């Protein structure tokens, strides 16, 4: 008796084969990487560039707002009375009544906020600036009139679209929603298609063998006879197992997507809860650039943060000098016009002790706690992300140096990043420390030469008695860290550990209590003889 499940006629078999091929043709383009359009064989015009396409709000602007703005300007939170999740709210504006839809670059509040370099005014708040490409996209959108696409106004407008456009839009959203799962299961989908084709071949051979077709009794007789002995339940079981493998692959892809989303949300939560998020530096912190011209080498002066009449100059004196510049792997200084070194670019950081300062503040123990890293470590032990760079002694208890590799220029000829200077501890591949300084570099190479557009600078993050902006009762930042000289100690200074601020280092475990010098005891007063 013939197997009813796979007993297909020639016409039905063709239909199934064509359906499988159509499915393979549909799945292929979805999984394939998009290819750039082929170049035209002839230029469109010898004298005119084609005009760029207008900025589409739904696909280019709305995703930026959803990623960076809706959290504070959405249905759950309306900072400044502004919502950016619907056209009617955006058109109404916020408490300032400044235009967002329409206006010019000078009057449009959205562009003014995202493009500002002032931390207290720039948006997103307590976060880094938007990528340059996003700011440029918003700029073009405002220049074109800040048009809000009709498809993004709401459900009523969307309902007016033809049914096939709504269906295609829904299918596209569904594909985007499950893109991660599809990508993970793509190889399993190919395997499923291959198994489907194999099952169709076996079914066709079964039918041909039982029908005594000529090709099934000739050279292919052995294969067809083997196929005829395969039972329908066995074929069904193979199909079911293959389909189950694809389903499991989709589930695993979904689990990975959820894990990735949870990891990202944990990073955002940690940043939001970090004390740095409540400062002008943000989280991770970025120092404020000093107001000097661009440079590739500079000198900075670190002052004392203690103030007391018993200290020299009331405590306003120099404690250390920093020198930063660029060099190659052999420590040879880079100058403007030099090509990128073969071993990459390095940042050299030299630290020089100021005269008259306390020995304990520059002891081996304390200087060994200093390390440099491009990874931001909050004041809790975290796994080391990269080998730290430590200070090397040039002159005992007087001068130290560190060489930090920052790599070679990328395809656009740029090298950019931030180096943190910590005092802290590293134990068992775990790091903990406070970033005291940040060294920012933005290098530009053009025609294999270091250009004057390059910049290298550093600044301090302040401390409990020094902060930016300078509130009442705080020491002026200029007297703490600056590129302009700070007066050094030229006379005697106190040895009192409390007045010198040594107790703070003891409390943090950076200096052992037994290494702290004790102030000389006051001479005993002479007693009157009877």
């Amino acid at each position: 008796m013939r197997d009813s499940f796979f007993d297909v006629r020639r016409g039905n078999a063709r239909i199934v084969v064509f359906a499988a091929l159509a499915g393979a043709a549909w799945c292929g383009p979805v999984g394939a990487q998009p290819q750039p359009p082929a170049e035209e064989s002839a230029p469109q015009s010898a004298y005119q560039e084609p005009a760029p396409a207008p900025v589409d709000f739904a696909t280019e602007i709305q995703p930026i707002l959803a990623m960076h703005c809706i959290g504070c300007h959405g249905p759950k939170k309306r900072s400044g009375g502004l919502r950016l999740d619907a056209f009617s709210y955006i058109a109404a504006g916020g408490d300032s009544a400044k235009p967002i839809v329409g206006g010019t670059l000078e009057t449009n509040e959205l562009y003014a906020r995202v493009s500002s370099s002032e931390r207290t005014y720039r948006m997103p708040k307590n976060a880094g600036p938007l990528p340059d490409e996003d700011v440029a996209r918003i700029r073009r959108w405002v220049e074109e009139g800040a048009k809000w696409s009709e498809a993004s106004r709401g459900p009523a407008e969307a309902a007016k679209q033809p049914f096939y456009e709504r269906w295609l839009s829904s299918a596209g959203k569904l594909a985007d929603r499950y893109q991660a799962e599809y990508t993970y299961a793509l190889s399993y989908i190919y395997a499923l298609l291959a198994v489907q084709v194999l099952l169709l071949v076996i079914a066709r051979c079964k039918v041909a063998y039982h029908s005594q077709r000529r090709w099934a009794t000739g050279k292919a007789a052995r294969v067809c006879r083997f196929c005829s002995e395969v039972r329908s339940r066995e074929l069904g079981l193979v199909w079911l197992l293959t389909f189950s493998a694809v389903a499991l692959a989709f589930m695993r892809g979904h689990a990975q997507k959820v894990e990735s989303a949870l990891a990202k949300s944990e990073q955002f939560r940690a940043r939001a809860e970090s004390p740095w998020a409540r400062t002008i530096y943000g989280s991770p912190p970025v120092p404020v650039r000093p107001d000097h011209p661009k440079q590739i080498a500079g000198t900075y002066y670190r002052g004392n943060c203690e103030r007391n009449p018993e200290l020299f100059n009331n405590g306003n004196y120099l404690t250390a000098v920093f020198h930063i510049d660029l060099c190659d792997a052999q420590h040879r200084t880079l100058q403007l016009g030099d090509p990128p070194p073969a071993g990459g670019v390095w940042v050299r950081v030299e630290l020089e002790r100021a005269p008259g300062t306390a020995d304990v503040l520059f002891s081996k123990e304390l200087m060994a706690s200093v390390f440099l890293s491009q990874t931001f470590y909050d004041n809790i032990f975290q796994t080391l992300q990269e080998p730290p760079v430590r200070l090397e002694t040039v002159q005992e208890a007087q001068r130290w140096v560190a060489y930090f590799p920052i790599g070679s220029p990328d395809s656009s000829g740029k090298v950019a990043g931030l180096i943190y200077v910590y005092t802290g501890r590293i134990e068992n591949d775990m790091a903990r420390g406070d970033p005291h300084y940040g060294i920012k570099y933005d290098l530009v190479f053009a025609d294999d030469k270091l250009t004057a557009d390059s910049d290298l600078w550093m600044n301090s993050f302040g401390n409990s008695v020094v902060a930016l902006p300078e509130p009442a009762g705080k020491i002026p930042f200029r007297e703490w860290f600056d590129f302009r000289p700070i007066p050094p100690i030229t006379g005697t200074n106190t040895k009192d550990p409390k007045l010198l601020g040594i107790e703070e280092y003891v409390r943090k475990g950076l200096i052992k209590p037994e290494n702290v010098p004790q102030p000389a005891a006051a001479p005993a007063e002479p007693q009157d003889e009877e």
Side-chain angles (χ1 to χ4, degrees):
M1 181 178 182
R2 294 185 177 181
D3 295 326
S4 59
F5 184 79
F6 285 96
D7 186 12
V8 293
R9 294 290 184 262
R10 178 181 301 177
N12 293 337
R14 288 176 179 174
I15 294 176
V16 176
V17 170
F18 284 135
L21 292 177
W26 179 83
C27 290
V30 175
Q33 295 295 327
Q35 298 296 326
E39 296 183 358
E40 298 287 345
S41 57
Q44 294 181 354
S45 172
Y47 58 91
Q48 184 178 5
E49 291 289 337
V55 177
D56 181 69
F57 176 85
T59 60
E60 298 185 68
I61 303 300
Q62 197 169 33
I64 300 176
L65 302 180
M67 175 68 70
H68 302 283
C69 307
I70 299 302
C72 295
H73 301 285
K76 294 184 179 180
K77 186 178 180 181
R78 307 182 187 183
S79 297
L82 175 65
R83 286 181 60 173
L84 299 174
D85 58 320
F87 173 74
S88 58
Y89 299 120
I90 287 190
D95 295 339
S96 66
K98 295 181 179 179
I100 291 181
V101 176
T104 64
L105 292 177
E106 290 73 22
T107 61
N108 188 279
E109 184 68 4
L110 177 62
Y111 176 72
R113 291 280 185 170
V114 300
S115 62
S116 175
S117 58
E118 178 61 41
R119 290 175 177 271
T120 58
Y121 181 76
R122 185 184 66 211
M123 293 294 167
K125 189 176 182 180
N126 296 330
L130 293 182
D132 293 341
E133 56 269 22
D134 288 350
V135 176
R137 196 173 290 116
I138 294 175
R139 178 188 178 94
R140 282 186 53 213
W141 179 62
V142 173
E143 289 175 337
E144 294 173 2
K147 299 177 182 179
W148 185 287
S149 60
E150 294 297 321
S152 303
R153 288 177 179 262
E157 295 291 340
K160 298 179 182 179
Q161 296 177 339
F163 77 93
Y164 55 86
E165 290 189 5
R166 296 199 302 270
W167 185 88
L168 290 175
S169 177
S170 300
K173 291 179 180 179
L174 188 65
D176 292 340
R177 181 178 180 182
Y178 294 103
Q179 179 63 33
E181 291 88 341
Y182 171 79
T183 302
Y184 184 86
L186 185 59
S187 58
Y188 294 88
I189 294 176
Y190 288 149
L192 175 62
L193 291 176
V195 171
Q196 293 281 54
V197 173
L198 179 61
L199 294 180
L200 288 174
V201 170
I202 294 176
R204 187 72 184 96
C205 290
K206 284 168 62 74
V207 173
Y209 185 79
H210 289 298
S211 301
Q212 294 297 308
R213 299 293 174 85
R214 181 179 300 176
W215 62 268
T217 56
K219 295 182 179 180
R222 181 177 299 178
V223 174
C224 293
R225 187 185 311 110
F226 172 80
C227 293
S228 67
E229 296 175 356
V230 179
R231 298 180 180 179
S232 298
R233 67 180 63 181
E234 295 172 343
L235 295 177
L237 180 60
V238 171
W239 181 87
L240 182 61
L241 290 176
T242 309
F243 187 84
S244 300
V246 174
L248 290 174
F250 265 90
M251 294 173 62
R252 179 55 184 162
H254 181 72
Q256 286 191 351
K257 183 175 72 172
V258 171
E259 292 173 0
S260 177
L262 288 175
K264 290 182 179 179
S265 64
E266 179 64 22
Q267 292 178 356
F268 284 120
R269 182 196 64 79
R271 291 181 180 180
E273 294 179 355
S274 172
W276 290 95
R278 297 187 290 272
T279 70
I280 65 170
Y281 305 112
S283 179
V286 178
V288 177
R289 191 190 185 283
D291 57 356
H292 57 60
K294 288 186 176 181
Q295 60 182 24
I296 59 171
T299 300
Y300 297 87
Y301 303 88
R302 201 271 208 190
N304 178 48
C305 62
E306 310 294 334
R307 292 294 181 268
N308 192 284
E310 297 185 26
L311 294 171
F312 174 82
N313 196 26
N314 198 39
N316 180 18
Y317 57 82
L318 180 69
T319 60
V321 180
F322 288 87
H323 305 280
I324 59 173
D325 66 347
L326 302 174
C327 64
D328 59 14
Q330 286 73 40
H331 306 161
R332 292 174 297 206
T333 303
L334 289 185
Q335 305 289 347
L336 293 178
D338 287 347
V345 184
W346 296 60
V347 173
R348 174 166 42 206
V349 184
E350 294 186 12
L351 174 60
E352 183 177 354
R353 174 184 174 183
T357 51
D359 293 338
V360 69
L361 294 177
F362 294 90
S363 63
K364 290 183 178 181
E365 180 184 12
L366 186 56
M367 301 309 292
S369 69
V370 178
F371 65 95
L372 285 68
S373 176
Q374 287 185 315
T375 303
F376 172 63
Y377 299 104
D378 218 331
N379 196 21
I380 56 174
F381 274 113
Q382 301 177 47
T383 304
L384 277 175
Q385 302 298 319
E386 60 183 359
V389 175
R390 295 189 178 274
L391 294 176
E392 303 174 14
T393 301
V394 177
Q395 183 180 354
E396 192 69 29
Q398 293 296 326
R399 292 178 59 218
W400 299 262
V401 66
Y403 299 95
F404 199 99
I406 59 175
S408 300
D410 58 17
S411 57
S412 62
K414 296 182 179 180
V415 186
L418 175 63
I419 304 171
Y420 294 104
V421 181
Y422 292 91
T423 56
R425 299 164 60 186
I426 298 178
E427 300 175 358
N428 301 322
D429 293 331
M430 302 288 286
R432 172 182 179 178
D434 295 315
H436 287 266
Y437 311 95
I439 303 173
K440 190 77 169 64
Y441 55 91
D442 294 279
L443 311 183
V444 180
F445 288 85
D447 298 327
D448 281 339
K449 294 181 180 180
L450 184 63
T451 69
D453 291 330
S454 302
D455 200 11
L456 175 69
W457 55 270
M458 72 178 296
N459 209 342
S460 169
F461 291 113
N463 59 19
S464 60
V465 295
V466 183
L468 281 177
E470 298 178 359
K474 297 286 186 178
I475 295 174
F477 207 90
R478 160 74 179 82
E479 299 178 5
W480 160 255
F481 194 87
D482 201 59
F483 62 94
R484 291 158 290 204
I486 296 175
I489 297 175
T490 56
T492 58
N493 198 21
T494 182
K495 304 295 184 181
D496 190 334
K498 185 175 182 180
L499 295 179
L500 294 174
I502 297 176
E503 292 182 345
E504 178 183 356
Y505 294 95
V506 175
R507 185 173 62 255
K508 292 181 178 180
L510 301 177
I511 297 179
K512 296 180 180 179
E514 58 269 20
N515 295 337
V516 177
Q518 299 300 320
E525 297 182 359
Q527 297 181 358
D528 297 335
E529 296 182 0
E530 295 183 358

